Amino acid sequence: MTGQGPASADSREPDVAGIDTVLLDQLPESVAVCSADAVCLYVNPAMERAFGRSRLDQLGRVLWELYPDMLGATFQERFRRVAATGVAEEFECHVAQRERWFVKRLLRGHGRVYVFSREITAEKKQEATLRGLYDETRRAQRHAAFLAQASEVLASSLEQEQILQRMAHLAVPTLADGCCVDIPGPDGQVRRIAMACVRPDQVELTQAFHARYPLRMDDAGGIGRVLRVGVTEFVPELQPALLEQALAGDPERLQATLALGVKSYISVPLISRGRVLGALTLVNTDAVRRYTQADVRLAEDLARRAAASLDNGRLYMEAQDAVRARDTFLSVASHELNTPLTSLTLNVQALRRDLESRSAATPPEALGAKVVAVQRQLSRLSSLVRELLDVSRITAGRLRLEREELDLAALAREMVPRFSEDLSRAGCELRLDAPGPATGSWDRLRLEQVFQNLLSNAIKYGRGRPIELRVGADAERAWLVVRDEGVGIPPEGQARLFQRFERLASERHYGGLGLGLWIVKQIVDALEGRILVESAPGRGSTFTVELPRQKAR
Ligand code: ADP
């Protein structure tokens, strides 16, 4: 013993109520010695420190009256049992209000009950931290395994609905009791494209609920809002009281909502390249399981992967469409090239025959007509080939403009006679209204192409009806308008008109590669102008090209 220890022990009564306290005074654990009816006869210094009460304050009082929040009915029962039987008891005791844990031992000796109390709060807290870490690690492992599985599922197909259906099934029951995927539908509706539930009857119940109360994009909360705003909605606990409050005016709906049994949910947006493609919703109907932020993170991770895979699917479909369009184009192009080539071959053969059989001299007019036909077919062929060359040039980014000062009205007047033969063959009368001048800095050859395409379309699709060509200008812009009274273009076709390879009219009735308007648009764009169309089926079409007169700085 050190010099100080015994001095302090000696300063206390060595014997209180006949108890030898020398040893007890030294113990690090709290000790109270009580009579059989729990009156405190002695408490050691450790007990004074542990509970912050002086010895004098405690002596002579019933133990559980001193510590009512710590020594409840169970403790009192144990105390009486030990006092009566003398059989020692040891147990753990949690003081919830103070978040403290103790190990208590009750012993009987010489008609008294010894209450030993050792605090184990630190150990308990450490244990809880370790358990938390362990649970967290286990959850992270489970999540990682789930995501690996999900990635496999997501990469297993390029077909959108199939992917999402598989993903929903994967999420149940690992992550949720119910999982669904919704996408924005037409007219502000929400379309459900995948759903899986632990209980099969839950699928029907939910479907019936949404048939009666459909989800909408403008809903103030829930899936509609997630789709609209693109932000996760997490409800860790759906409070029935709040539901009752929100649906107070509609008891039937409240009843149906409660019957779904949703306890908590997470709804996350599927976003790709800034666009909300859909919403993934995980629903929990289990009263015990609670979603946490870790589940939200997992759902968001899953949603990111699903969105990327949806995007891949879409790109694949687009690539497929492009390949199909190219194949169609190749067959159209070969057909288009073949038609003038066949007539050309026949005409050249006929001419050759005429030249060889000099005996039966062919009249010069007949020869002349065949030569004109040959010229026409050659010019058709060269314009088709020019179009094809233009496409590859423009696509390769090689549309170079040779700007010069020119008058659009004069150019229109120059162009019209070049169409006189085509116009008369189609039975179209052309009205030109180009008083001019309409000058600007443009590319002559490219503008000739614009006239060429618009006028030949007007002749092709406006057969037998008048055509109007107008040119005008104000201080900033010049414009040309080509109007026909032909077949017209349906509204849904107008958006596709300027796309490459797009042909709306049937190829049996009208030839063409579907490239003319695309080329026109590329030229107009390069000149910083714009092209507009106004049309209705059977009511003709008006194409307007507007060009700034000077190049923007
Ligand atoms: P094409 O060489 O096939 O005519 P365009 O790119 O010039 O190709 O036109 C694309 C499609 O737009 C045509 O197939 C046709 O359906 C439609 N179109 C173009 N101009 C007119 C018009 N003046 N009237 C009706 N339809 C038109």
Side-chain angles (χ1 to χ4, degrees), residues 457-458 460-461 484 487-489 497 502-505 511-518 541 543:
N457 276 351
K460 187 156 54 163
Y461 301 106
D484 66 62
V487 293
I489 305 158
L497 216 53
E502 207 55 69
R503 302 167 78 233
L504 308 173
L513 297 175
L515 291 174
L517 286 180
W518 180 76
S541 313
F543 284 87

Side-chain angles (χ1 to χ4, degrees), residues 190-206:
V190 171
R191 195 160 82 80
R192 178 145 298 171
I193 52 170
M195 184 168 180
C197 290
V198 178
R199 290 194 348 246
D201 62 316
Q202 198 76 20
V203 176
E204 279 158 40
L205 196 67
T206 314

